[in-house]
Amino acid sequence: MRPFKVVITDREYEQIDQEKRILQAAGAEVFDYQYKDEADILKVAADCDALIVQYAKVPASLINGLKRCKIIARYATGVDGIDLKAAGEKGIYVTNVRDYCTEEVSSHALALLLELSQKTAQYSRWIKEGQWNYRKGLPCAGLKEKVVGLIGYGKIARACARKLKPLCDQIWIDSKHASAEELKKEGLVLKSREAILANADFISLHAPLTKENYHMFNKSTFEKMKKEACLINVARGSLVCEEDLFRALREGQIAGAALDVMEKEPPNRDNPLLTFDNVILTPHIAWYSQAAQERLQSAVAKEVARVLTGSKPENCVNSEFLSKNAAGMV
């Protein structure tokens, strides 16, 4: 009996020793590539038993070319870019990794918010340029009496609210799932999206990227925000229309933005958002700590090993599409 074939399409991690150890114990051989192009992936993965992806897109055309694949596992929480329906109809599990970086991302969101509020990095840069002048960065917003709005209330937003609570008395939540009573017990307030847009001094995005949420912050949204307001995004780049954000900043419709994620990563050097002093950019690093990376890599390998050895995965994200006729899928 031949070993299971596991193909890693692409990765940015220095080594995959954990994956190899876990998967070899399950009777699999790991084939490691750096391919993002569909044609290149199909050349090496058409006969794979499992596909592990990081940034590579997995459309229906690629899925239909997989002859024996049982699982597509992603090194991430989000699964945008993978056709969940096409995979399910072919009896292929799609899995993600949950909760591996909740503390890291929530802390990074708070760090970005504090930088927008206190401007510490800007002051440091000005001093190094020979400008010792506290007035240069005024006004500094402060936090205690400001309104911070969180869009979404999953685990990362909950952790962010918990860390923010000692610093800010008014934390407003936009959520379809949390109740006003639940939030009140946590010292938080349930508010409509419109109320947050009109009143929040800082808005932090913690929503998934779906068809409904694509460019949820756009020209119309920015026009509803306070001129003193700032936007933080540690979720998905395409939640924000960057062209409209640029116009809003240029025209003074909002006061600033802090982005760990962008629509195109890395951004083009001529991206106008790179020219603003009131825009903070970090390179999609919010998720990272050494421990979080280890949790992510091992979790992906364990999901693949479960499926290859006849068990169901723990974090299947396309169960609603799985074919009832596919052996072992339901």
Side-chain angles (χ1 to χ4, degrees), residues 111-329:
L112 293 177
L113 193 157
L114 286 169
E115 174 56 32
L116 287 169
S117 171
Q118 304 304 122
K119 303 179 183 177
T120 52
Q122 285 195 43
Y123 274 115
S124 177
R125 185 173 67 253
W126 290 328
I127 291 170
K128 291 174 181 178
E129 293 171 352
Q131 303 179 70
W132 183 278
N133 181 2
Y134 81 91
R135 296 183 182 276
K136 187 171 179 62
L138 300 183
C140 284
L143 271 181
K144 194 62 177 175
E145 298 177 354
K146 299 297 182 181
V147 174
V148 176
L150 304 184
I151 307 298
Y153 196 58
K155 291 188 177 181
I156 291 173
R158 291 170 188 265
C160 187
R162 168 173 50 81
K163 295 171 183 179
L164 182 59
K165 191 70 176 63
L167 306 176
C168 179
D169 291 336
Q170 299 189 74
I171 304 174
W172 294 3
I173 307 297
D174 169 34
S175 172
K176 297 179 181 178
H177 307 292
S179 68
E181 293 76 15
E182 172 194 354
L183 293 174
K184 186 176 181 180
K185 292 178 183 178
E186 302 295 328
L188 312 174
V189 182
L190 182 66
K191 289 284 186 177
S192 68
R193 177 84 49 87
E194 295 299 314
I196 290 176
L197 292 174
N199 296 282
D201 299 285
F202 300 92
I203 298 176
S204 186
L205 304 186
H206 300 277
L209 179 60
T210 62
K211 290 181 180 179
E212 295 74 24
N213 288 343
Y214 178 78
H215 283 181
M216 65 191 298
F217 272 72
N218 51 46
K219 181 176 184 293
S220 173
T221 315
F222 295 126
E223 289 173 348
K224 296 173 183 177
M225 292 172 62
K226 296 168 61 174
K227 291 184 181 297
E228 303 82 8
C230 294
L231 179 70
I232 300 105
N233 187 10
V234 293
R236 286 290 181 267
S238 292
L239 294 177
V240 178
C241 176
E242 290 183 5
E243 184 176 351
D244 292 350
L245 175 60
F246 162 69
R247 291 197 188 98
L249 290 163
R250 182 187 63 190
E251 296 170 11
Q253 289 178 332
I254 65 172
L259 311 174
D260 182 59
V261 289
M262 302 188 73
E263 292 202 81
K264 182 180 184 299
E265 297 179 356
N268 294 332
R269 291 302 305 162
D270 61 354
N271 186 320
L273 292 176
L274 275 62
T275 66
F276 287 93
D277 286 339
N278 58 341
V279 173
I280 302 163
L281 300 172
T282 55
H284 204 143
I285 190 64
W287 67 274
Y288 180 80
S289 71
Q290 184 175 348
Q293 180 174 319
E294 290 174 357
R295 288 193 295 269
L296 172 66
Q297 291 184 249
S298 65
V300 166
K302 288 175 182 177
E303 285 285 57
V304 172
R306 285 188 193 98
V307 172
L308 294 183
T309 55
S311 298
K312 293 183 179 181
E314 292 184 354
N315 291 324
C316 178
V317 296
N318 69 330
S319 56
E320 63 181 302
F321 301 119
L322 284 169
S323 169
K324 293 183 179 180
N325 296 321
M329 291 296 107

Side-chain angles (χ1 to χ4, degrees), residues 4 11 17-18 51 80 91 116 162 213 233 286 323:
F4 296 115
R11 63 176 173 91
D17 293 346
Q18 284 190 97
L51 194 68
D80 43 286
L116 287 169
R162 168 173 50 81
N213 288 343
N233 187 10
S323 169

